Amino acid sequence: MGKSSLVKAVHAHVNGLGEAAIRRLVLIEIAREDIEALPRLMRVIAREDARFIVFCDDLSFDKDETSYKSLKTILDGGLEGRPENVLFYATSNRRHLMPRDMVENERSTAITPGEAVDEKVSLSDRFGLWLGFHNCDQPTYLAMIRGYCDEYGIAIDDETLRARAVGPRGDPVRQGTGGRTGQGHPMKTEHRLRWSHGEATVLANSAMLADCTFTVDSRPFAPFARAPWLGTVDDPTITGHLRVLAGDFVGLPFGSGQGFRNAPPEWAALPGLPAYRSTHGTAADGDWSFVEADDGNVKLSIDYPADSAVVRIEREITPRPDAPALDFVMRIFARRRALTSAGLPELPPARNARPAGTEGGFRVRPHPSRPDRHRRPARIPEPVCRTKG
Amino acid sequence: MGHIPLSPQTDKNVQLCGMKGPLTATWLDEGLGIELDWDRVLLPSLMIWHTDRGIGGPPWYNQFRAVGLEPIASAFDLATEVSAAANPINARGVATAINLDPAAPLEIRHSIRAFAAG
């Protein structure tokens, strides 16, 4: 929860002090896999005039690893150890830089109980200063998100912030309540789904499915269009799905509201009204919040305006295990009884014309009659809001 | 609309009312396709939106090319007021709107499955 951010903040702060004794403080991040190169790095930077923080993020060691010995040498100091102008910072999610079960296991199986594990545990003891980062409670978590919103100038009332941060049902979010999670919920802009038969990105904007590639018989297959302007629009008058037009999204109400040209008489009599608020409604014209997100599932939610007959929509996209397929669920929660249009645009790309009479191209075929595998009871239970306590 | 493109720079909608089965779209050259299946009770129509460099102005600038396959409860993509009122499609018994009810949240499912064309 903010461990590596703290290291970087310390570096920025010290450099910003402009103290004469510290002419230059350099932060070097070293990958976990490169720990064995530490002695060589030390020899190089020891000759420099600057001071260094050598930083390893998410450091830990698994069973049978010996690379920790390089780090131990550095931490010990001495001839081959840490030069005077170097401090070593590390973050870890493990108390002793190794799994708890490994500590216990080695303690119980060593010839001299405790000796084998002590060498690795002693590594963690060689750090001069320990700072604990404990899980925060929900009020602290919400305060952190409020801080992010203030920082980014996002105007949001407490009730909406809480609903988006902890989920529409008041449940804690699946990922926990860490700082990165807190930052991610109101402002997370996309999520990548990965499974055995494909990859796809789901955007917060319009909950748009973008860049979906299935794997079919070991071949990549990207069946959806992608607007060439996706990700490049900075015109503030272009909003919502138009900025990110791609594979699959939700229209509620559905429709652009454009009238017919040369309409037949029975249609010409109908009013030529504009779309309600925007083309394909709030669902396609705003940022959704990520409620849950991991490799195998993503769930988003969007609130509708207070004067709408819809309270909110949830959208869930789930890769089908062991198949090149995606399953979608949309749940619509109403504020009052009403009729509304609804639609699910899927956008395969258009192709060039083929010479008349040649085989090939793109064929769309409605199947005349087949049971609908998606037919479920339309009624679903209303979620019960509850507070954690 | 059996063959596309209909014409250069086109932008056309066709609504298939009262769909009875899923839809397959096959790229015959690649031998690959997708099957689109959905809740056809709640969304009984399929709109095919063929747009091939047919929309100008920002951000389109006559660049976008797609064959939209769109399960809908709607009268084309007219305003929702038209879909919710009497119109020539729901006059034929094909719903052009869904019923919102606070006591009965709606769940609409659909899926996309890719396949290798035999």
Side-chain angles (χ1 to χ4, degrees):
Chain A
M1 192 173 68
K3 298 185 288 295
S4 54
S5 298
L6 180 63
V7 173
K8 290 163 187 170
V10 165
H11 168 249
H13 177 73
V14 172
N15 258 343
L17 292 176
E19 288 187 3
I22 306 172
R23 271 175 285 184
R24 193 160 60 104
L25 181 64
V26 178
L27 178 64
I28 299 175
E29 183 163 352
I30 185 165
R32 158 73 188 75
E33 297 73 26
D34 295 330
I35 286 290
E36 286 179 309
L38 267 177
R40 198 148 39 99
L41 174 66
M42 294 297 146
R43 284 195 290 275
V44 172
I45 63 179
R47 298 194 291 266
E48 297 293 322
D49 197 25
R51 290 173 180 268
F52 295 87
I53 296 172
V54 176
F55 169 48
C56 185
D57 196 14
D58 200 14
L59 179 66
S60 66
F61 298 97
D62 290 324
K63 196 173 181 179
D64 302 327
E65 275 193 286
T66 56
S67 58
Y68 70 91
K69 290 180 179 173
S70 300
L71 179 57
K72 202 168 168 184
T73 304
I74 298 305
L75 296 173
D76 276 346
L79 288 177
E80 277 291 303
R82 176 174 59 84
E84 283 299 309
N85 62 337
V86 176
L87 280 176
F88 189 83
Y89 286 12
T91 69
S92 181
N93 289 319
R94 292 171 175 171
R95 174 70 176 82
H96 294 296
L97 306 177
M98 56 199 286
R100 183 187 298 270
D101 61 342
M102 192 173 143
V103 174
E104 300 303 326
N105 195 39
E106 294 218 8
R107 184 166 280 142
S108 63
T109 58
I111 296 171
T112 305
E115 191 173 84
V117 73
D118 279 351
E119 189 174 29
K120 287 180 182 172
V121 170
S122 67
L123 171 66
S124 56
D125 290 339
R126 280 172 164 78
F127 284 84
L129 177 67
W130 285 75
L131 293 175
F133 286 72
H134 305 285
N135 289 336
C136 69
D137 56 15
Q138 198 173 85
T140 308
Y141 172 65
L142 292 172
M144 289 162 58
I145 298 172
R146 170 59 67 193
Y148 280 125
C149 290
D150 293 345
E151 175 70 20
Y152 286 95
I154 298 172
I156 185 169
D157 63 75
D158 287 344
E159 187 182 347
T160 307
L161 182 146
R162 187 183 182 286
R164 292 190 177 182
V166 301
R169 302 180 187 195
D171 298 334
V173 292
R174 182 188 290 182
Q175 301 97 318
T177 49
R180 190 174 292 128
T181 303
Q183 187 177 17
H185 272 258
M187 286 168 285
K188 183 179 168 78
T189 57
E190 63 181 61
H191 178 72
R192 190 82 173 154
L193 291 167
R194 294 184 179 84
W195 76 107
S196 61
H197 287 69
E199 291 192 18
T201 297
V202 180
L203 306 177
N205 184 352
S206 307
M208 181 71 71
L209 179 78
D211 299 329
C212 173
T213 301
F214 295 110
T215 303
V216 182
D217 292 348
S218 303
R219 285 190 287 167
F221 177 36
F224 294 115
R226 185 183 196 280
W229 61 82
L230 196 155
T232 67
V233 177
D234 55 10
D235 179 346
T237 65
I238 298 166
T239 59
H241 72 287
L242 281 183
R243 285 181 167 237
V244 294
L245 196 57
D248 174 293
F249 61 107
V250 169
L252 190 88
F254 179 86
S256 62
Q258 295 160 354
F260 287 129
R261 280 170 295 186
N262 307 316
E266 67 270 30
W267 289 97
L270 297 172
L273 296 169
Y276 175 75
R277 291 179 183 272
S278 56
T279 296
H280 300 321
T282 300
D285 193 40
D287 283 345
W288 296 53
S289 293
F290 286 86
V291 178
E292 297 173 356
D294 56 32
D295 280 358
N297 182 64
V298 62
K299 182 174 172 182
L300 307 96
S301 169
I302 191 166
D303 295 328
Y304 268 56
D307 62 349
S308 169
V310 175
V311 176
R312 73 170 190 282
I313 311 178
E314 293 175 0
R315 172 161 153 96
E316 202 161 352
I317 305 174
T318 309
R320 200 175 298 167
D322 303 319
L326 289 168
D327 292 311
F328 301 73
V329 184
M330 172 168 63
R331 299 184 187 90
I332 305 166
F333 299 91
R335 184 173 279 115
R336 60 176 180 272
R337 294 176 73 92
L339 287 167
T340 182
S341 57
L344 299 166
E346 318 287 329
L347 302 178
R351 292 297 177 92
N352 290 332
R354 299 181 65 86
T358 58
E359 287 296 319
F362 179 66
R363 181 179 67 205
V364 176
R365 177 171 289 173
H367 289 258
S369 182
R370 208 180 88 178
D372 175 6
R373 69 185 299 274
H374 293 291
R375 190 67 207 131
R376 303 281 169 84
R379 293 177 70 98
I380 56 173
E382 174 68 25
V384 177
C385 290
R386 61 177 184 274
T387 54
K388 189 175 167 63
Chain B
M1 198 158 169
H3 296 84
I4 54 176
L6 303 171
S7 60
Q9 297 198 327
T10 193
D11 188 61
K12 293 271 195 307
N13 289 330
V14 169
Q15 181 162 346
L16 307 181
C17 300
M19 294 290 290
K20 302 295 183 195
L23 183 98
T24 55
T26 309
W27 285 257
L28 298 169
D29 297 314
E30 290 90 339
L32 294 166
I34 55 169
E35 180 186 79
L36 170 63
D37 200 0
W38 74 98
D39 186 325
R40 287 178 289 278
V41 172
L42 291 173
L43 306 179
S45 291
L46 181 89
M47 191 161 85
I48 300 178
W49 170 46
H50 181 223
T51 185
D52 196 353
R53 301 189 176 105
I55 308 177
W60 309 86
Y61 298 116
N62 299 103
Q63 302 174 80
F64 191 63
R65 314 182 69 198
V67 182
L69 306 172
E70 310 185 336
I72 55 171
S74 181
F76 295 94
D77 68 340
L78 299 173
T80 189
E81 291 88 343
V82 175
S83 296
N87 61 59
I89 293 175
N90 58 25
R92 295 166 54 189
V94 175
T96 55
I98 55 173
N99 276 296
L100 299 177
D101 182 351
L106 288 172
E107 187 170 284
I108 304 177
R109 292 172 178 264
H110 75 287
S111 66
I112 297 157
R113 180 181 63 84
F115 61 85

